[in-house]
Amino acid sequence: MRPLHLPLALLFLLPATAHAQPDSTRADSLRADSIRLVFAKALPTMQVTATAVATDIRRIAQPTAQLSGASLRRSQGASLGETLEGMAGVRSLSMTTGIGKPVIRGLTNNRVVTLANGQRTETQQWGHDHSPNVESADAERIEVVKGPASVLYGSDALGGVVNVVRRPLPVAEPDVTLWRGRVSMAYHGANRAPSTTLATEGARGMFGWRATATGRTAGDLRTPGGEVANSGNRTGYGEVAVGARANTIRGARSASLVSSWRDETIEIADDPVTSPNYTGRQRIRTMRHTLDADWSRGAQRLQLQLGLEANRRSEFDSRDTRDVTLGLNSDNRNAFLHWHHAPWQGLRGTIGVAAQETRFTTFGQETLIPDNTTRTVGLYVMEQTVRGSWSLSTGARYDWRRLTTPGNAVLALDATARQFNAFTGTLGAVYRHDRPLALAFNVARGFRAPSASDLFANGFHEGTRAFEIGRRDLRVESSINADVGLRLNTSRVQGEWNVYHNRIADYIYLAPIGQPGRALDSLEVRQGNARLMGSELALQWQLPAGWSWQGSSDFTHASNRVDGTALPFVPPLRVQQTLRWGRAALGPNASLTSEWHAKQTRTFRDDFAPPSWHALHISAGTSRLTPRGLVHVDLSVRNLFDARYRDFMSRYKEFADAAGRAVVLRVSADW
């Protein structure tokens, strides 16, 4: 795959007759798109992940965040965690350039649910280093819920939810054919990584369709201390979507079917001192099919989603072998049915049922966990109302979850069945008496059922380069999280400050038990009680003459309440500031960003804590409306002064520096 070999000039050589619309109509359409782009900030942001009903984000009690538009375009990375790590309260637990797991308020792995346009994914459930295989290159936006969201998403949504929302399928007027496309090309100098995304979509009356393809490659990561051997990756992704919408006197109906395929090969580096010339790799293949259907009549709406996901992960101990060292296979079926009822007594909400079945099988030379099946059913209700200056929300859910395994002779495990049931709820309020200010309160209970990896792991995990040991008597994790937030929204200043307190009973964690200096080589599952407290601040100030300033900080203090020790993989204090210039959404722009990370002074046992570090990043770009479409050019230099540092959230921190100075060029166009 050579994704950069498509010249940008091809975009402007396309014949004008490629659109079925006349030139004047197409010009009007492009002009309308540019107007929407310029005035996007004047419209209230809607959010669906936290409430299941599209809601003004200013009226949602639970802290949420979105990444969309130019911010999403500039933040795109090789992994979901890397794309999101600039958000206040969100970090990335990284391993090479292809693995980056979102960390929300110090919680990650099975405590953060990832969604592909609302469909639950199960591709990161085997370990803390297994990335969610969700592609965001052509996403419309990414929504993040901070804190427990188990009422809507059940087990594992104890720390938060990330939803990658795709663009809606286009709709055309009767007897009109619409066709348009997008292309995005980028090059990241830190690991010589080209990437390309191509998308084409169209509509004919009530029918719409879209096809998307993404390809990226990366070589070994280059750092001020030299290259990190065996740290590259290759990814190919394809998606096809078809759908139809119809409006009748009896209501509106719509249905869509989306199929996607992702094939990714990730090289896994290891310490050159203890494992010289190691060339292990993972190959991860994921296939998803999603059927969405909506029926609405008056103020009522019925929403159905059926999803299939097949994830096959093969791990090899050498680039020269085709023999699978450890193989993990997951077949996941899920469904939900939401009834969005008509307003009643001022209440607006959703009643729903969700079901899921996940079958895990293993293959290869080694055995880490047994074959197993998990079945879950959840019933829930979520309601919202506005009473004067108050926006109130409440919800409740009950889950039945059963995990069974036929046993495994290698692991000395007999046939076993475990039942994990849980009740969760949420109660929130937003008070907006003085229009620019709002005060938000939210209390939520979340839960996480132990996974098969937590319970039964007993062996060397090639993908994480660690020996992992499970614990068979684990109980359900449950949490009570309280949030208080102050929100400011004026014509020149927007911001949010949140403080939270999260108490987790029966907290499941991986404890490093390796030798000093190699603490992450051996990991054992344990259970205790945890407390996480923290704060996150995000502020944006519009200055005169096209200037603006953005600042954010986040901090989490986490401890084991049994013995007072720290929890593993909790990020330290971080402060970010950006000074940006740009008079309009269309036209030139430039920015200077300062990023500072403190040293993590509270580490679990012998975990390595690198010194604090600081890096500067600069960028410049322009957006232009041409006769052929809207074109964006973004050029940035990451780590401008080639600072040498190691990030606490990197799994390579014990033996490798972070990326050095890197030039990133991104060119994208819509036509």
Side-chain angles (χ1 to χ4, degrees), residues 458-508:
N458 189 13
F460 186 76
H461 189 169
E462 192 67 39
T464 66
R465 302 298 293 154
F467 195 96
E468 299 179 3
I469 304 170
R471 179 172 170 174
R472 299 179 185 180
D473 62 347
L474 295 176
R475 300 174 296 277
V476 170
E477 282 188 8
S478 60
S479 72
I480 296 291
N481 181 85
D483 267 284
V484 179
L486 183 64
R487 302 169 186 174
L488 176 65
N489 188 4
T490 72
S491 60
R492 299 180 76 77
V493 182
Q494 300 84 42
E496 184 172 2
W497 178 41
N498 294 302
V499 294
Y500 57 90
H501 185 278
N502 194 3
R503 296 173 68 93
I504 305 177
D506 297 316
Y507 177 82
I508 300 168

Side-chain angles (χ1 to χ4, degrees), residues 128-445:
H128 62 285
D129 291 323
H130 287 207
S131 182
N133 303 115
V134 180
E135 185 60 58
S136 64
D138 194 44
E140 181 184 53
R141 65 186 187 277
I142 304 177
E143 299 181 345
V144 177
V145 180
K146 304 175 188 178
S150 291
V151 168
L152 286 177
Y153 301 103
S155 179
D156 302 0
L158 184 145
V161 177
V162 177
N163 188 10
V164 179
V165 182
R166 67 173 61 89
R167 304 167 191 264
L169 289 174
V171 177
E173 297 295 327
D175 300 322
V176 172
T177 299
L178 170 69
W179 178 76
R180 60 195 182 204
R182 291 183 297 276
V183 62
S184 176
M185 296 181 288
Y187 185 83
H188 198 300
N191 44 18
R192 301 176 296 279
S195 64
T196 296
T197 295
L198 294 170
T200 181
E201 61 187 13
R204 173 71 179 179
M206 61 183 288
F207 297 99
W209 58 271
R210 179 175 56 245
T212 304
T214 295
R216 66 173 61 90
T217 64
D220 289 341
L221 181 66
R222 294 190 289 188
T223 78
E227 289 192 355
V228 181
N230 202 55
S231 59
N233 70 75
R234 297 182 300 278
T235 301
Y237 176 81
E239 178 181 294
V240 175
V242 294
R245 301 181 188 180
N247 295 314
T248 68
I249 58 174
R250 301 185 63 182
R253 301 176 183 179
S254 68
S256 65
L257 177 63
V258 180
S259 294
S260 66
W261 304 263
R262 182 184 174 103
D263 193 337
E264 185 173 18
T265 298
I266 301 175
E267 298 174 349
I268 305 298
D270 203 351
D271 193 333
V273 175
T274 59
S275 301
N277 304 316
Y278 177 73
T279 58
R281 72 188 193 280
Q282 298 179 14
R283 186 179 181 188
I284 309 158
R285 287 170 286 180
T286 306
M287 180 174 61
R288 290 191 186 95
H289 305 289
T290 312
L291 174 65
D292 283 290
D294 274 87
W295 299 266
S296 62
R297 185 171 185 177
Q300 299 187 82
R301 175 173 165 240
L302 195 63
Q303 180 185 8
L304 171 68
Q305 184 182 92
L306 303 176
L308 297 176
E309 177 188 72
N311 181 255
R312 184 176 179 86
R313 184 180 302 264
S314 304
E315 301 180 355
F316 306 86
D317 60 11
S318 169
R319 71 161 60 99
D320 300 321
T321 182
R322 294 189 176 182
D323 296 328
V324 177
T325 304
L326 175 65
L328 302 167
N329 192 76
S330 167
D331 291 303
N332 186 45
R333 301 169 179 85
N334 50 53
F336 68 73
L337 182 67
H338 286 165
W339 174 46
H340 307 280
H341 64 75
W344 176 78
Q345 298 294 317
L347 292 175
R348 177 171 171 261
T350 301
I351 299 172
V353 58
Q356 179 175 328
E357 179 186 75
T358 303
R359 295 179 180 270
F360 285 97
T361 56
T362 61
F363 58 97
Q365 301 171 357
E366 298 179 356
T367 301
L368 177 66
I369 58 175
D371 295 351
N372 63 89
T373 300
T374 302
R375 295 184 176 92
T376 304
V377 175
L379 298 175
Y380 49 95
V381 59
M382 177 78 81
E383 298 291 339
Q384 302 167 245
T385 186
V386 177
R387 305 288 183 182
S389 300
W390 292 89
S391 299
L392 307 174
S393 60
T394 187
R397 176 179 177 128
Y398 195 83
D399 280 272
W400 295 264
R401 189 177 181 97
R402 183 175 176 84
L403 186 153
T404 60
T405 175
N408 186 283
V410 175
L411 301 175
L413 176 67
D414 296 329
T416 304
R418 294 289 308 274
Q419 188 77 25
F420 304 107
N421 300 339
F423 171 81
T424 53
T426 183
L427 180 63
V430 178
Y431 179 70
R432 290 174 53 91
H433 178 68
D434 186 12
R435 186 170 181 81
L437 285 173
L439 188 60
F441 311 87
N442 194 73
V443 178
R445 177 180 174 86

